[in-house]
Amino acid sequence: MDLSSTLGTALVALVVERLFGYPRFLLRLIGHPVEWMGKLISHLDRSLNRETGGKWVQRLRGAISLLLLVIVVGVTAIAVTFVLRQFEGGSIFEALLATSLIAQADLRRFVSAVADGLEQGVDQGRAAVSHIVGRDPSTLDESGVARAAIESLAENTSDAIVAPVFWLALLGLPGIAIYKAINTADSMIGHKSERHLHYGWAAARLDDLVNLPCSRLTGFLFASAASLTSPTRGAGAFETMIKDAKRHFSPNAGWPEAAMAGALEVRLGGPRSYQGARVDLAWIGQGRDSLGSADIREALKLQSRTLNLLTVLVAIAAIFSP
């Protein structure tokens, strides 16, 4: 598996998924790989997550479950890649499988639905944004709904698009599959609930690690894409990213969110409510507080230009790779 081959696979997967999403015939034929990963994570959670033992015992159990997940997913992906590479055109099918682990089409659809909902009313906007964020939507006004949608778009451009493509380009189908397994584990058990506070520690930390280069790359892609149409906004995106990314409680999410805030000249972050509890988070950016559906659509335009730039960069790398 050489770099030129994995870059070519990444390019095909990126273009096909953006245009068509995950092919429906594959969905009917084999289902969705993330669903399989989720079932395995749930099974390991039921089997290994016990209340007995101290913090480090629970962390060890969580680390063992994560290791088993990575081994199962990695070995399966390596085997599938090996079999496909024995056939002419197998790399195309490999790229089609990889489209299931990239979410350009779904992310755009869900965020666009928030803008559509807001234009019908705040309640419709709240209902739409509840599908993509964990905060309590009933506490959000129009600006809060728009802010939540833009933040989700920025963060998930990194987690659900740039990072999967990065690991696919670097390590092929096994790379993107293992990344997605780690990311799915983080979303299912990496939160700070009573049950998963210690058991999910390894999943959360490993997810932070594998997203470290990708979140920075996404921020620079947002800022670069903004520079192509407005050098002033591009400069603002770079400045805000460097200044405010570290203010985010996440070691990764602040980079794309800060770049997005600077490019749109708005403020993101700030206080929000989770399950009735107010959480005071730092503001990111120095721009407007008042946001609406038009800002969501501007964010979508910037994200589209960013994905164009990502596609061009992957294509150039594929053409000139040794």
Side-chain angles (χ1 to χ4, degrees):
M1 189 184 301
D2 59 273
L3 184 60
S4 62
S5 175
T6 56
L7 282 165
T9 300
L11 178 61
V12 173
L14 190 59
V15 172
V16 169
E17 196 280 330
R18 188 173 182 184
L19 293 175
F20 306 107
Y22 180 45
R24 291 187 179 276
F25 82 91
L26 276 180
L27 185 62
R28 291 192 298 268
L29 183 65
I30 63 173
H32 202 291
V34 173
E35 294 177 358
W36 312 340
M37 296 175 190
K39 290 178 180 178
L40 178 55
I41 293 165
S42 295
H43 174 72
L44 291 169
D45 187 14
R46 292 191 301 270
S47 302
L48 297 177
N49 190 1
R50 297 285 184 265
E51 294 182 1
T52 57
K55 176 176 73 174
W56 287 103
V57 171
Q58 292 183 37
R59 285 185 174 184
L60 178 60
R61 289 173 180 152
I64 291 171
S65 73
L66 183 63
L67 178 61
L68 291 172
L69 172 69
V70 168
I71 289 173
V72 170
V73 170
V75 169
T76 301
I78 290 170
V80 169
T81 302
F82 176 79
V83 171
L84 291 176
R85 291 297 174 102
Q86 306 309 304
F87 301 96
E88 186 176 352
S91 59
I92 298 298
F93 199 78
E94 182 183 346
L96 292 178
L97 285 176
T99 63
S100 66
L101 306 175
I102 305 171
Q104 296 169 102
D106 284 345
L107 179 58
R108 186 171 188 85
R109 183 171 70 252
F110 280 116
V111 175
S112 295
V114 180
D116 294 340
L118 265 185
E119 288 169 358
Q120 299 174 41
V122 174
D123 287 340
Q124 290 86 341
R126 289 171 177 164
V129 84
S130 68
H131 296 293
I132 58 174
V133 297
R135 70 197 70 173
D136 183 1
S138 66
T139 64
L140 301 176
D141 57 11
E142 180 180 3
S143 292
V145 170
R147 186 174 293 111
I150 294 170
E151 290 171 6
S152 180
L153 178 66
E155 182 178 358
N156 283 294
T157 297
S158 177
D159 290 358
I161 301 171
V162 175
V165 171
F166 176 88
W167 292 110
L168 175 61
L170 197 63
L171 299 173
L173 189 61
I176 190 176
I178 291 172
Y179 167 78
K180 200 64 180 181
I182 295 168
N183 189 243
T184 304
D186 176 58
S187 67
M188 292 180 66
I189 64 172
H191 41 80
K192 295 184 178 180
S193 66
E194 183 177 353
R195 176 175 174 80
H196 295 116
L197 177 61
H198 301 305
Y199 178 81
W201 174 83
R205 298 291 76 75
L206 186 56
D207 184 70
D208 286 343
L209 182 62
V210 296
N211 276 299
L212 201 68
C214 310
S215 59
R216 277 76 176 160
L217 175 59
T218 305
F220 277 91
L221 286 172
F222 274 138
S224 299
S227 299
L228 295 176
T229 55
S230 173
T232 300
R233 291 202 170 192
F238 277 111
E239 181 181 355
T240 303
M241 180 175 63
I242 299 302
K243 178 182 177 183
D244 286 354
K246 61 182 179 293
R247 303 185 69 190
H248 201 286
F249 69 91
S250 164
N252 291 313
W255 290 81
E257 288 187 22
M260 178 72 82
L264 299 182
E265 299 178 339
V266 300
R267 281 212 302 176
L268 300 177
R272 71 275 312 271
S273 176
Y274 291 98
Q275 298 178 338
R278 178 184 168 90
V279 180
D280 290 316
L281 300 181
W283 288 102
I284 294 175
Q286 306 299 317
R288 290 178 290 109
D289 289 331
S290 180
L291 282 69
S293 62
D295 295 293
I296 299 176
R297 299 200 186 281
E298 281 301 312
L300 284 164
K301 289 179 183 177
L302 175 60
Q303 194 239 17
S304 181
R305 293 194 294 269
T306 299
L307 297 182
N308 291 341
L309 180 58
L310 174 64
T311 304
V312 169
L313 292 176
V314 173
I316 292 172
I319 291 170
F320 291 102
S321 63

